[in-house]
Amino acid sequence: MIRKALPEDLEELCSMLQRFVSETDLPLTFDLEIARETTWHHIHSEDSILLVYDEGVLAGAVLGVIGRDFYMEKLAYLLQFYVEREFRGLGVSRDLLEAFNNEASKRGAKLIFASATAGMGERGEKMGTRLFERYGYKALGRIFFKGL
């Protein structure tokens, strides 16, 4: 079942975030207190979309935000997307993406920008790219980053 994240999901989501960070190719260090603070913010923010796939345990989650930037139209930004290893290949990603698309549309977003595959390695990027393309997303250049 897909539902909005609740305050009682906080610790399980933070554990999931730690696994997410460990699987990226990005030179980033997980910090539990920062994860708790930012996740708590997203659970309670009207500008955030934080959905979980609940199978008695959290099988996956998707996080995004809604905003206007300098446009008249509302935009959604899909920021993070993670499915636990044991639930991969079972349609969890598909269901989470559909739910995110529906929630963003319901909140008035006209476009969704997704950067959720960045830093997930070649295999993860290929799988994510196929998933997004299957649901009508189009490539819009590449994402760049620079270590400082």
Side-chain angles (χ1 to χ4, degrees):
M1 162 181 82
I2 295 178
R3 60 173 174 76
K4 291 181 181 179
L6 302 170
E8 51 267 29
D9 297 323
L10 181 64
E11 292 306 317
E12 200 171 351
L13 281 166
C14 287
S15 294
M16 186 182 291
L17 287 169
Q18 186 168 18
R19 288 186 290 281
F20 170 84
V21 170
S22 73
E23 290 183 24
T24 70
D25 289 341
L26 297 171
L28 300 173
T29 305
F30 179 78
D31 183 286
L32 182 58
E33 288 309 310
I34 293 172
R36 282 184 179 130
E37 183 181 315
T38 57
T39 303
W40 183 260
H41 166 79
H42 288 300
I43 288 171
H44 292 91
S45 174
E46 290 293 318
D47 296 328
S48 296
I49 298 173
L50 179 52
L51 303 174
V52 297
Y53 195 107
D54 188 345
E55 287 292 311
V57 296
L58 298 187
V62 61
L63 168 66
V65 294
I66 298 273
R68 278 206 165 83
D69 288 345
F70 50 86
Y71 303 105
M72 253 179 71
E73 297 84 4
K74 281 187 179 179
L75 305 174
Y77 297 90
L78 195 158
L79 303 173
Q80 295 170 344
F81 197 124
Y82 185 78
V83 174
E84 298 285 8
R85 285 188 186 277
E86 62 269 27
F87 292 97
R88 294 176 188 171
L90 302 175
V92 174
S93 294
R94 175 199 63 224
D95 293 349
L96 280 168
L97 185 57
E98 284 181 3
F100 184 88
N101 292 346
N102 291 338
E103 184 66 22
S105 177
K106 188 167 69 174
R107 293 200 198 182
K110 299 299 179 200
L111 292 173
I112 300 173
F113 291 94
S115 61
T117 63
M120 293 308 295
E122 190 175 324
R123 182 176 182 274
E125 283 198 36
K126 283 182 182 177
M127 291 173 61
T129 298
R130 282 196 306 265
L131 175 71
F132 286 120
E133 287 175 345
R134 207 175 312 138
Y135 285 91
Y137 286 72
K138 294 178 180 19
L140 185 66
R142 305 232 354 128
I143 294 175
F144 296 92
F145 80 98
K146 178 183 178 184
L148 300 175

